[in-house]
Amino acid sequence: MTSSSTPYDFIVIGCGPAGATIATQLSRKGYSVLVFEKAKFPRLHEGESLLPFCYPILKDLGVLDEMKKKYVRKPGARFSNYDGKSSATWFFKSVIHDDSHLSFNVDRASFDHILMKNAVKNGVTVMEETKVAAVDTSRPGELVEVQTMDVAGERETWQAKFLIDASGQETFMAKRAGAKNDFEDMDRIAWIGHWKGGRYMNGVEVGLINIIRMSAGKKGWFAIQPVGKDLLSLTMIVDRKYMRQQKKLLTDAGEEDWQHAFYVKEIADCAQLHEMLEHAYMIRRFAVISDYSYYSDIAYGDNYLLVGDSFKFLDPIFSTGVYLGMKSAELYAEALDVKFREGREAGDKKMAQALETIQGAYGLVEKFINIYYDPTSMNLAEVNPGAESGYKGYEKAYSLLHYLLAGDFFANYEKYSEFLDIIKDPARYKKWKSLIADKIQAAAVPSVTPEEVFGAIEADQ
Ligand SMILES: Cc1cc2nc3c(=O)[nH]c(=O)nc-3n(C[C@H](O)[C@H](O)[C@H](O)COP(=O)(O)OP(=O)(O)OC[C@H]3O[C@@H](n4cnc5c(N)ncnc54)[C@H](O)[C@@H]3O)c2cc1C
């Protein structure tokens, strides 16, 4: 084992969106930052649908221009019921009047690579194929020790003033501290496949992510979105109990590859998807992600913090993970700067404020997710979000849902939380729907053209 001599200000575990964002922001503020990333980028990753509220962060990082040339734009989301008879399209343009209403459907392999290269451009040292194997944060006021292992099995010890765990679902610190907990009633499992030769319809032809709610027993949904001019990403989320029943049925029937049979059968059973994927083929085997929704009891200490999925992961129904991670990273970078410049007292205050806002945002998203799965509550496929003319009179009351879908979780989470309490209560929801939502059904939706969505892509994935 060797030891590195120069201590860094910050060591970051993981170079996903949360790690790359906090590393870049801290380096720009003049700190020395070393990131360890166990993978070699570009590497595959789930989480391809970005929210418009990511836009200012991406702009500030300086990666927007490159993204515009690479990725399909995402103007909103379409929610529909399984039979396709009810559907509602939520265009961000209804409430966001600048360019950021066109968000992005990204290929995560290249997106995360862009963020990593941008971090390096901003002075961050990134060591790929280097896994953090152990850390010692047990001596507040002294340097943190980090032990790494490279692909050749070579171990090395590094030191820093502060450690940032952005290790994603590996939940490096939470696991080791025994602080990782599952969310009750979010025990689901995800299948993700990429398809060529699919039919672009149901709003996919203008970049919409299409979310199809499954029947109640499956407690799940499909999300299909264009990630290229001829590349569809299809995620299937189901309740683990349902998945186990199906696994048993399929294996009892002699099916050798039950995971494949299950994914394909569920798609074939859904008329909307069947039509879209009838002549399509998967470009590689789907991924199955079973480490689902969880949270950590620890958030930060004197010399460490957890950010992004390493801190908390919520069901991805509203495509919230990347934004929650990047925005948390931004807030923590500001707080850490105060801690380093102004000392412990001011720093602790700022860290506590950042955490309160982050917890507020995650809490709001959790509430919104629970409403989606509650069959007695609002069904987004059945609330018709009109726009322009009819929309105007009810804008304040109605736009809250648009803003929530766009990612407005941090600044006003208390206000939105009160609104969700209304939506959650069946009687109050009924009243809200008849007074507000039903009044604007006839209004026209804002138009978006395929040219706006696909036109700037220089080369397809
Ligand atoms: C099925 C599914 C669909 C999703 N869809 C969306 C979506 O549409 N939109 C959205 O915004 N979010 C989505 N998400 C969530 C999104 O993927 C995550 O929230 C996001 O990637 C979190 O970013 P992160 O930087 O915290 O972690 P990650 O992106 O996971 O990055 C963590 C990095 O740490 C590295 N690492 C881990 N351990 C170590 C170690 N010991 N040493 C060194 N490096 C290490 C990993 O290799 C990885 O590169 C989805 C998630 C799932 C499961």
Side-chain angles (χ1 to χ4, degrees):
M1 187 192 296
T2 54
S3 267
S4 147
S5 54
T6 334
Y8 283 80
D9 290 323
F10 294 96
I11 285 182
V12 182
I13 313 175
C15 204
T21 303
I22 199 163
T24 305
Q25 306 276 22
L26 288 168
S27 180
R28 278 181 176 175
K29 291 179 195 298
Y31 299 103
S32 58
V33 187
L34 172 62
V35 179
F36 294 114
E37 169 53 59
K38 69 176 179 185
K40 172 82 188 143
F41 279 25
R43 54 97 178 87
L44 296 176
H45 204 293
E46 67 286 351
E48 299 160 304
S49 165
L50 302 191
L51 298 181
F53 271 63
C54 284
Y55 206 87
I57 304 178
L58 298 165
K59 189 172 181 182
D60 179 54
L61 288 173
V63 294
L64 258 190
D65 288 344
E66 192 173 355
M67 289 179 68
K68 285 179 185 171
K69 289 182 206 150
K70 253 189 148 62
Y71 302 128
V72 178
R73 306 302 290 268
K74 182 187 127 184
R78 180 180 190 267
F79 289 84
S80 63
N81 285 342
Y82 195 68
D83 59 11
K85 287 187 184 142
S86 309
S87 75
T89 303
W90 300 76
F91 281 102
F92 304 130
K93 202 177 183 179
S94 298
V95 291
I96 298 176
H97 305 298
D98 61 22
D99 190 39
S100 69
H101 80 90
L102 285 177
S103 191
F104 295 96
N105 293 297
V106 301
D107 149 54
R108 278 292 299 274
S110 61
F111 173 64
D112 289 19
H113 203 194
I114 289 173
L115 294 179
M116 176 193 275
K117 286 186 279 186
N118 190 57
V120 173
K121 208 167 92 185
N122 280 278
V124 176
T125 304
V126 180
M127 293 183 65
E128 291 178 76
E129 297 186 286
T130 309
K131 185 181 166 126
V132 172
V135 298
D136 183 357
T137 55
S138 63
R139 294 179 305 276
E142 289 182 36
L143 293 174
V144 171
E145 275 197 1
V146 174
Q147 202 183 98
T148 57
M149 191 169 70
D150 66 17
V151 275
E154 193 67 36
R155 285 179 183 267
E156 202 162 342
T157 304
W158 308 78
Q159 292 182 320
K161 292 180 189 152
F162 200 94
L163 176 71
I164 295 167
D165 178 7
S167 63
Q169 296 220 341
E170 179 156 330
T171 50
F172 188 93
M173 296 196 69
K175 247 188 215 159
R176 280 161 181 79
K180 187 174 175 182
N181 308 281
D182 292 332
F183 278 107
E184 270 177 38
D185 207 30
M186 282 206 201
D187 192 15
R188 302 192 182 96
I189 185 157
W191 264 248
I192 305 172
H194 289 86
W195 300 71
K196 270 190 181 292
R199 193 174 289 154
Y200 279 32
M201 55 190 284
N202 299 338
V204 165
E205 69 282 10
V206 287
L208 294 170
I209 184 167
N210 217 305
I211 296 164
I212 303 165
R213 190 188 183 112
M214 290 179 171
S215 55
K218 299 181 187 178
K219 285 193 195 158
W221 43 273
F222 293 104
I224 188 158
Q225 66 188 106
V227 287
K229 287 180 185 164
D230 176 21
L231 191 59
L232 292 169
S233 169
L234 173 62
T235 300
M236 175 178 85
I237 308 281
V238 288
D239 184 58
R240 205 179 292 270
K241 275 197 208 104
Y242 173 70
M243 182 274 290
R244 286 200 185 110
Q245 284 165 6
Q246 295 304 305
K247 178 182 174 182
K248 185 166 182 336
L249 287 176
L250 289 164
T251 45
D252 285 355
E255 186 57 66
E256 278 179 18
D257 187 354
W258 72 269
Q259 288 188 328
H260 182 267
F262 178 48
Y263 183 59
V264 170
K265 176 184 164 301
E266 291 295 332
I267 292 167
D269 285 351
C270 176
Q272 297 180 69
L273 288 177
H274 182 73
E275 203 179 347
M276 293 171 88
L277 298 176
E278 199 179 356
H279 303 295
Y281 60 94
M282 256 188 286
I283 58 167
R284 60 177 165 265
R285 189 174 168 85
F286 49 81
V288 180
I289 292 144
S290 66
D291 200 0
Y292 211 58
S293 293
Y294 54 78
Y295 62 95
S296 162
D297 286 331
I298 51 167
Y300 66 81
D302 250 7
N303 51 12
Y304 70 88
L305 70 77
L306 284 59
V307 66
D309 280 11
S310 73
F311 171 57
K312 216 175 249 200
F313 177 66
L314 299 171
D315 184 292
I317 175 69
F318 296 123
S319 309
T320 47
V322 170
Y323 175 59
L324 285 169
M326 291 179 94
K327 185 68 191 175
S328 304
E330 200 180 69
L331 291 173
Y332 274 141
E334 282 165 24
L336 286 169
D337 186 34
V338 172
K339 188 179 165 83
F340 271 56
R341 274 189 302 105
E342 295 176 27
R344 190 175 171 157
E345 202 178 317
D348 285 353
K349 202 170 151 202
K350 200 82 183 153
M351 289 293 285
Q353 281 168 354
L355 179 61
E356 192 182 336
T357 307
I358 290 165
Q359 292 282 33
Y362 275 91
L364 175 68
V365 174
E366 189 190 338
K367 204 182 239 188
F368 198 22
I369 291 168
N370 286 332
I371 287 176
Y372 179 83
Y373 285 103
D374 179 355
T376 67
S377 192
M378 174 185 62
N379 179 341
L380 280 167
E382 291 170 1
V383 184
N384 197 336
E388 332 254 69
S389 53
Y391 191 77
K392 277 275 170 260
Y394 304 93
E395 189 159 342
K396 273 216 176 86
Y398 208 79
S399 63
L400 293 175
L401 281 172
H402 271 110
Y403 277 119
L404 271 175
L405 290 167
D408 194 5
F409 311 135
F410 286 82
N412 302 300
Y413 59 84
E414 280 158 342
K415 179 181 83 180
Y416 290 108
S417 190
E418 281 167 24
F419 168 65
L420 289 184
D421 286 337
I422 297 177
I423 298 285
K424 218 168 74 175
D425 172 9
R428 292 168 81 198
Y429 168 59
K430 209 169 150 197
K431 198 167 167 198
W432 176 83
K433 189 170 181 299
S434 70
L435 282 175
I436 309 291
D438 292 346
K439 290 259 187 336
I440 56 177
Q441 276 191 2
V445 291
S447 57
V448 177
T449 64
E451 179 56 25
E452 281 177 275
V453 169
F454 296 97
I457 302 174
E458 285 182 349
D460 213 349
Q461 310 297 326

